[in-house]
Amino acid sequence: MSTLQRAKVQAKAHPLAVDAVLAAGVLACMVAGSFVEPRHRDTVNWVLRTPDSLSLVLMVLGAAALVFRRRAPMTVLVLTGTVSVVESVTGDPRTPVAMSAVIALYTVASTTDRPTTWRVGLLTTTVLTGAAMAAGPLPWYAQENLGIVAWAGIGATAGDAVRSRRAFIQAIRERAERAERTREEEARRRVAEERLRIARDLHDVVAHHIALVNVQAGVAAHVMDKRPDQAKEALSHVREASRSALNELRATVGLLRQSGDPEAPTEPAPGLDRLDELAGTFRNAGQRVEVARTDQGTALPAAVDLAAYRIIQEALTNVQKHAGPHAKAEVSVVRVGPNVEITVLDDGSGEDAAPGSGGGHGLLGMRERVTALRGTLTTGPRYGGGFRVHAILPVKNRTPTGEDPA
């Protein structure tokens, strides 16, 4: 920190001391000016003189009032203006007591608004100049009387300029702080959205594959003694499901890497092109799944494609967990106008036939995905038993912010 910066900090910390120093300086200038007097003949000559005691008292009172100019600027202006009027009327020869009133007027102008500055400045100038012209010892046209107008105008103008500059700097500082807060809030919002998206992906991946592993492990334990070949096949499916889970977890967690980190994932996100493979994993677990599609040839945005895949994956996982061992699932993907409609039905009658009744986040994650794409999601029990999941996703991806969630 430079010497000038340290001085500014000290001045802000001790304003009363600064005003006391200023008052002492003003008093010294007024006293020094009171010992000389201009004589106007052919040329201007300066002669020494001795000020009277009243003038000295008025100078001390005017300077002392300046010590409190920040605390009560209007009161200080009234006091300094009063002693200046008294000096203008009684002083002969006159001493520069009006200097204290000019400093007080500057303080008022720098701490109030412009209309107040205009009113107070005109009033002060009128009173000081009028008293000097009407009751002073000098002729009304004397340059000392006209000089009061000039000095009062300088004080008011300088104070108004300082006030405007402070307001401008404060406005710039507030805009910078507001912009910084906005950036921080935007960064926190994006981090929260990214965490929510990653949590949804992790939930979908883990719930799907762990459900398959659980079913196949149960099958292997059931037929291990009597049908070891079938148990070996079930364990093979367990191994395949766990490998797929690890691969998808690696790809999802890899999104948390920085751009310069090694081994960044290069595998594309899953989409409807892998729907048959997804259905096959459930069929291998013993679940009956039928797939019907009328959207072949439709190019979906990456976010819509991923959301459709995850919705079907989560819905089939819920069927596997809640619909019972003999439930049948029907998956349909249909292109209807500007939208693609995803429907997953089951005819299960298990005791826990309503997905999400156990406190999971599957339906919530599906709804968040659909809402992010400005689509609609309808879920609920079917008449006669089973459950229905129906999602409508716009093919032209439009998010609330106009950005692609992918």
Side-chain angles (χ1 to χ4, degrees):
M1 184 181 294
S2 64
T3 304
L4 180 60
Q5 291 176 335
R6 284 196 297 268
K8 289 182 178 179
V9 172
Q10 292 294 332
K12 291 181 179 180
H14 305 283
L16 190 63
V18 174
D19 290 338
V21 173
L22 175 63
V26 172
L27 178 62
C29 292
M30 290 191 296
V31 171
S34 66
F35 279 93
V36 295
E37 178 185 3
R39 291 292 176 86
H40 302 278
R41 298 186 183 279
D42 296 336
T43 59
V44 179
N45 296 319
W46 297 88
V47 296
L48 293 176
R49 64 182 176 89
T50 302
D52 55 21
S53 57
L54 179 60
S55 296
L56 291 176
V57 172
L58 293 176
M59 285 187 286
V60 172
L61 291 177
L66 294 178
V67 177
F68 306 99
R69 67 187 185 95
R70 297 179 197 247
R71 296 185 178 181
M74 285 294 185
T75 303
V76 171
L77 178 59
V78 171
L79 293 176
T80 55
T82 300
V83 297
S84 299
V85 169
V86 173
E87 171 60 23
S88 299
V89 173
T90 62
D92 187 19
R94 189 180 300 172
T95 55
V97 180
M99 181 182 296
S100 60
V102 172
I103 300 297
L105 180 58
Y106 162 83
T107 304
V108 171
S110 64
T111 55
T112 59
D113 53 15
R114 182 162 295 171
T116 303
T117 299
W118 276 98
R119 290 193 295 267
V120 174
L122 289 175
L123 179 61
T124 303
T125 304
T126 301
V127 171
L128 294 181
T129 307
M133 288 182 175
L138 299 177
W140 68 270
Y141 53 83
Q143 64 179 2
E144 286 83 354
N145 295 336
L146 300 178
I148 296 177
V149 179
W151 283 109
I154 291 175
T157 304
D160 184 71
V162 170
R163 180 196 57 77
S164 299
R165 182 176 180 276
R166 289 174 182 170
F168 178 72
I169 294 176
Q170 182 64 23
I172 293 177
R173 184 179 293 112
E174 290 177 355
R175 283 198 297 268
E177 293 175 353
R178 187 163 53 250
E180 184 66 23
R181 288 195 300 269
T182 302
R183 284 195 296 269
E184 292 176 356
E185 292 172 358
E186 179 67 14
R188 286 194 294 268
R189 184 186 66 81
R190 290 182 178 273
V191 169
E193 290 179 352
E194 184 66 13
R195 290 175 60 186
L196 182 60
R197 186 188 64 80
I198 293 175
R200 285 198 300 262
D201 286 342
L202 288 175
H203 173 273
D204 293 343
V205 170
V206 172
H208 164 60
H209 291 289
I210 294 302
L212 296 181
V213 168
N214 180 59
V215 171
Q216 295 290 356
V219 171
H222 181 68
V223 300
M224 179 66 70
D225 296 332
K226 298 180 179 180
R227 303 175 65 181
D229 294 338
Q230 188 173 352
K232 184 181 297 185
E233 182 181 356
L235 292 176
S236 176
H237 291 315
V238 168
R239 181 180 181 184
E240 184 63 27
S242 62
R243 182 185 297 112
S244 299
L246 289 175
N247 291 336
E248 291 202 38
L249 283 174
R250 185 181 297 112
T252 302
V253 176
L255 296 175
L256 300 176
R257 294 179 180 271
Q258 300 295 330
S259 58
D261 290 347
E263 299 181 3
T266 58
E267 182 180 356
L272 291 180
D273 57 337
R274 295 174 55 182
L275 180 56
D276 292 336
E277 177 185 346
L278 175 66
T281 60
F282 284 96
R283 294 189 184 103
N284 292 334
Q287 181 176 322
R288 293 182 296 163
V289 179
E290 292 185 1
V291 177
R293 299 185 62 178
T294 62
D295 67 320
Q296 281 77 3
T298 300
L300 298 178
V304 178
D305 202 20
L306 174 61
Y309 179 87
R310 293 301 189 196
I311 290 171
I312 296 173
Q313 182 185 50
E314 178 61 28
L316 292 178
T317 301
N318 287 337
V319 173
Q320 182 73 44
K321 293 192 299 183
H322 303 291
H326 304 293
K328 175 183 176 182
E330 298 177 2
V331 180
S332 67
V333 182
V334 181
R335 173 68 184 271
V336 180
N339 303 319
V340 58
E341 297 190 9
I342 310 296
T343 306
V344 180
L345 307 174
D346 71 79
D347 57 359
S349 57
E351 295 181 358
D352 192 12
S357 60
H361 298 85
L363 294 182
L364 177 62
M366 283 192 282
R367 192 170 302 280
E368 289 173 347
R369 289 184 183 276
V370 173
T371 302
L373 299 174
R374 287 194 171 181
T376 58
L377 177 70
T378 305
T379 61
R382 299 175 61 195
Y383 179 77
F387 202 80
R388 176 177 181 268
V389 175
H390 181 66
I392 301 177
L393 303 176
V395 175
K396 293 184 178 180
N397 182 18
R398 298 177 302 163
T399 64
T401 58
E403 298 175 356
D404 189 346

